[in-house]
Amino acid sequence: MRSYNSTLPQMPHEDIFITYTLSQLLEDGADVSSMPGNSGGLAKQCLVALSTTYFGIAHMEREILRRGMSKYGKSLRTLNQRLGDQSASRTLDVLQSIMIMALFEYLISDLEAGWLQHSRGLERLLEIRGPESMASLPCLTILESVRPSIIFSALLLRQNTILSSSDWKTLPWVNHAGRKDAMQRLIDILADCPELFVLRESLPAKSAQLERRSTLHHLEDKAHAILDNLHAWKQSPSISPWMEVPSPSSAPEIIDSEGLSTPIWQTVYHFESLYQANIMSLYHGAIILVSRLCLGIQLELDEDKCEEIRASINMAGIAICRSMDYHMERRGDDISSLFILFPLRMAFDAVGVDNVEIGSWLKAILQQIYSGSAGRWATARYLLDIQPLSNNPTPA
């Protein structure tokens, strides 16, 4: 194993790992002091575990990676003990620890249940604390960071989320109203989506025909209300316009009538910033999510709006695809990529299933993101030849 003390003899290994990891995970200009774990405590132990593992994978250092996984197991056992203590479980330190552990599972583990469990556990702690308790800036920063993963886990598990309530959309921001920007307002709307799927799955399969149609129409009305909110959000002056540039050589191609390869779309979107690209991709992903629910309702009701809905879904899917060139050029090494996984999945459902060229192209992008630009996440099991530690690790 290479020695990093030779280059920075005064700096402990842990500080090297943390400095390197934060430089990779935080966007340019981000406030390092806002990263959970900087204040010490259990959250610092969790941050050290994440950073050590991340550094070991990135530099293909087997012993550093083993050390990081061992630290992860020890930190997780301590966290589980704290969660068993009613007073300790409500502390900011525990909230930060769960957030870091969820990030660990999201980045490194192939086990979907890992980050789902952490996200749902964090939501339960938030519910116990109440929205008023998240009004301080440190707590609000955590809440803003974890809201998307809590909502996505609720969607996957077909469960409601506390984040859909008006109190959770307003009270945490009472002292920092300026932080309720376009992204946070879009996430407010997205928080209403899990309920749609809970209601859809709760419909009895063999209910009376008239009763079922009435229930479906009610669900459709709720879905259209969310779509109306999304369209109104898009008209906000804080949403900057994008520009179109010629499609790059990496765009998917089809064979035209003359036997020549031509891009499926002639232009792609470029934005003022990665932030604007992220919110527009998230917006189109939400449009697809809700519109596909509406399409399913229309198909069951045998009504005449199906083609209109399909056109909307297709348009949103292509919009996400035409944004991917910008995302892949400007994204950070890992975190920015993770943010677009939901829109990418929605684009695949919208236009990738029926179009082989687009589907293959989207799968290649997803593989690149899952593996990391240098294949670093795919190498974790190669280096250790084991799965990352489970949520119930054995003693290290």
Side-chain angles (χ1 to χ4, degrees), residues 206-218 301:
K206 297 182 179 180
S207 59
Q209 185 68 14
L210 287 177
E211 178 186 351
R212 185 173 178 84
R213 289 181 68 87
S214 175
T215 304
L216 285 171
H217 278 299
H218 173 69
L301 294 175

Side-chain angles (χ1 to χ4, degrees), residues 102 106 112-113 115-120 123 143-164 183 186-195 197-198 230 278-290 320 335-346 370:
Y106 207 24
E112 181 180 68
W115 74 269
L116 285 175
Q117 180 175 339
H118 284 299
S119 293
R120 298 306 282 175
E123 179 175 16
L143 178 63
E144 291 173 345
S145 299
V146 301
R147 284 209 304 167
S149 65
I150 288 176
I151 294 168
F152 294 150
S153 64
L155 284 168
L156 283 171
L157 296 171
R158 296 296 191 258
Q159 296 178 358
N160 286 311
T161 172
I162 61 172
L163 300 182
S164 63
M183 174 66 81
L186 178 57
I187 293 173
D188 282 348
I189 302 172
L190 194 64
D192 295 331
C193 294
E195 182 189 11
F197 296 89
V198 172
L230 286 168
N278 281 338
I279 61 175
M280 290 313 302
S281 293
L282 186 59
Y283 161 78
H284 286 117
I287 290 289
I288 295 169
L289 178 74
V290 181
I320 293 173
I335 292 299
S336 298
S337 299
L338 289 172
F339 193 89
I340 60 172
L341 288 179
F342 167 72
L344 271 172
R345 174 55 194 270
M346 290 297 99
Y370 286 141

